[in-house]
Amino acid sequence: MGSQYRTDEDGMVVETGHAAVDAVLSSLANAARLAPAEQIAEYEAAHQVLQETLASIDR
């Protein structure tokens, strides 16, 4: 299975083909537009989803 992902004009990955990871990438892009104090909750949620996603790979 080869790597299937899409990048933006800056070379940042914006789509991986994995729904949960793609949702996190989208939420992080949106969080970047928020005030710093408002970004914290978004980053914490993203971290949690990514931890759960990685943990599910080991199952």
Side-chain angles (χ1 to χ4, degrees):
M1 178 169 87
S3 295
Q4 299 289 326
Y5 59 91
R6 185 172 60 87
T7 60
D8 65 11
E9 61 277 354
D10 296 325
M12 298 297 294
V13 175
V14 293
E15 187 176 303
T16 66
H18 188 284
V21 175
D22 291 344
V24 167
L25 291 174
S26 179
S27 72
L28 292 175
N30 291 332
R33 297 181 191 108
L34 299 173
E38 297 172 348
Q39 292 176 356
I40 295 168
E42 292 294 324
Y43 293 140
E44 288 175 341
H47 183 253
Q48 182 66 36
V49 170
L50 292 174
Q51 280 186 313
E52 291 169 0
T53 301
L54 287 171
S56 73
I57 292 170
D58 291 335
R59 292 184 201 147

